[in-house]
Amino acid sequence: MREVAFIKQNKEKWLEFEQIISNKKKKSPDDIANLHIKIMNDLVYAQTYYPKSKVTQYLNKLAKSSFDKVYHSKRRDKNAILYFFFDKVPLLSYQYRKFIYLSFIIFFAFFLIGLLSTFNDDTFARQILGNSYVNNTLENIESGDAMAVYKSGSNWGSFIGIYDNNQRVGLNMFLSGLFLGIGTGFYVVYNAIMVAVFQAFFYQNNSLFDSLKGIWIHGTFEIFAMIIEAAAGYIIGASILFPGALKRFESFKTGMKAAFYIFISTIPFTLVAAFLEGYITRYSNTMPTILCFLIIGLSLISIGYYYLILPFQVANKYNLR
């Protein structure tokens, strides 16, 4: 279809939505959602056949406005905090789900590299973890308490220190997206390899089971949140590198805002991870094994559901799939 015919055929629909956005025309939430879907379809068509046209830029802006309108038309009287965590963030996670998947792929690819490197180089663990840490851990393993490192300091002091450290790492991953996502990638590579070396080291010293039931009590939330924080960094980088039909600064503002919201959503998980590490992990060797793995399982299910399943359910509720 020629561009002129495409515009003529759909012009009334676009103008109608402009009136809805400016509150000059009222529509039910379901009608707004259906109109949003039609506009998204028009945008995809325009991006395919008229990628450099002004109509594509126009539809891109209209699609963003229609997406925001869907939010507000569905929001109604819901508590602002509940709306943020159970509507807005899941919708953003759905919209940017490819970056979350990419973050998982990169993390586990380098996790595998870390495992292979440790198993093939006897000095690799010391290069990554440091001689002091390795020597102390070997002493703990020999004394029969592989997780003794988590027992130092008070519960409260450990909780505060751990949260501060983990939140700094997450913030660095997020903000490093400003360096075209390369900085985020660096942090992911380093942390993925370090986690892999950590686990491989315990395996080599016949303490894998003790490390699994101890480390992952807090590590499930900690590592999963780290991967999501990295995804937020990639979103920023992509918004700069691939603006599409938007002006680069407009694309950056949109990407930065979405990434910031997703980053904020990880803070409760990071907080709980610090609490678990400060108060629970230190007792992993005396706790019933079933309780350790119950905590790990519930942690994995809850955070996995929030970022990987709930986004699709909320997208269905908003008629965005």
Side-chain angles (χ1 to χ4, degrees):
M1 184 188 303
R2 296 182 63 182
E3 184 178 348
V4 174
F6 173 71
I7 295 172
K8 185 176 181 180
Q9 179 178 309
N10 297 287
K11 185 177 180 180
E12 285 188 22
K13 175 175 52 183
W14 303 339
L15 292 175
E16 179 185 8
F17 201 84
E18 282 189 355
Q19 290 183 319
I20 293 171
I21 293 171
S22 61
N23 295 317
K24 293 179 180 178
K25 192 171 185 179
K26 300 294 182 182
K27 284 278 187 180
S28 71
D30 288 336
D31 287 338
I32 293 173
N34 289 331
L35 197 53
H36 167 77
I37 293 171
K38 292 178 181 178
I39 289 169
M40 289 299 295
N41 290 336
D42 290 344
L43 174 60
V44 171
Y45 185 90
Q47 288 175 330
T48 303
Y49 294 101
Y50 327 114
K52 297 182 179 180
S53 171
K54 289 185 177 181
V55 71
T56 304
Q57 296 179 28
Y58 166 77
L59 286 173
N60 213 326
K61 292 180 180 178
L62 194 61
K64 182 183 180 301
S65 299
S66 68
F67 196 69
D68 292 339
K69 192 68 177 180
V70 169
Y71 278 152
H72 295 304
S73 65
K74 292 281 187 177
R75 180 175 178 175
R76 295 172 182 170
D77 297 324
K78 184 175 286 190
N79 177 278
I81 295 176
L82 292 178
Y83 169 74
F84 176 81
F85 281 104
F86 293 102
D87 286 85
K88 194 173 191 68
V89 171
L91 283 171
L92 288 171
S93 297
Y94 175 77
Q95 183 182 357
Y96 292 98
R97 60 192 180 280
K98 291 181 180 178
F99 293 95
I100 294 176
Y101 302 155
L102 175 65
S103 190
F104 272 101
I105 291 170
I106 292 174
F107 182 89
F108 284 108
F110 282 95
F111 180 88
L112 180 60
I113 290 172
L115 288 179
L116 295 174
S117 299
T118 308
F119 290 137
N120 287 283
D121 183 351
D122 293 337
T123 66
F124 192 70
R126 290 184 177 275
Q127 293 175 35
I128 299 298
L129 301 176
N131 287 321
S132 177
Y133 184 87
V134 169
N135 292 334
N136 287 337
T137 303
L138 286 173
E139 290 176 7
N140 292 334
I141 291 173
E142 289 175 6
S143 67
D145 190 359
M147 297 291 102
V149 67
Y150 293 104
K151 296 181 179 180
S152 60
S154 65
N155 299 93
W156 177 252
S158 296
F159 165 59
I160 296 297
I162 291 163
Y163 173 72
D164 178 67
N165 177 72
N166 291 348
Q167 198 60 74
R168 285 174 185 270
V169 171
L171 188 62
N172 285 335
M173 284 195 170
F174 165 65
L175 292 177
S176 292
L178 292 168
F179 300 100
L180 307 181
I182 297 173
T184 299
F186 170 79
Y187 278 107
V188 171
V189 168
Y190 176 77
N191 283 279
I193 290 176
M194 187 168 65
V195 172
V197 171
F198 200 68
Q199 289 292 203
F201 174 72
F202 279 103
Y203 173 81
Q204 290 174 325
N205 289 278
N206 302 313
S207 299
L208 178 64
F209 185 75
D210 288 337
S211 73
L212 288 176
K213 74 174 188 176
I215 295 167
W216 293 100
I217 285 177
H218 62 271
T220 303
F221 276 150
E222 184 180 308
I223 300 303
F224 207 121
M226 184 189 299
I227 292 171
I228 301 301
E229 289 158 350
Y234 296 142
I235 291 170
I236 297 173
S239 71
I240 299 170
L241 288 171
F242 311 109
L246 294 176
K247 291 182 178 179
R248 197 172 301 275
F249 185 65
E250 288 298 319
S251 173
F252 168 70
K253 286 197 299 183
T254 301
M256 186 68 183
K257 183 178 179 180
F260 178 70
Y261 288 153
I262 291 173
F263 168 73
I264 290 295
S265 74
T266 67
I267 291 178
F269 294 108
T270 303
L271 196 63
V272 173
F275 173 82
L276 290 172
E277 187 171 353
Y279 284 87
I280 309 298
T281 299
R282 62 177 61 214
Y283 304 114
S284 63
N285 66 327
T286 58
M287 289 166 56
T289 299
I290 187 66
L291 181 58
C292 293
F293 285 106
L294 180 63
I295 294 172
I296 294 169
L298 290 174
S299 298
L300 183 60
I301 289 170
S302 60
I303 195 168
Y305 172 79
Y306 186 74
Y307 287 108
L308 300 178
I309 298 174
L310 183 62
F312 285 88
Q313 295 177 337
V314 177
N316 277 331
K317 183 178 77 173
Y318 280 79
N319 299 315
L320 298 178
R321 291 186 65 191

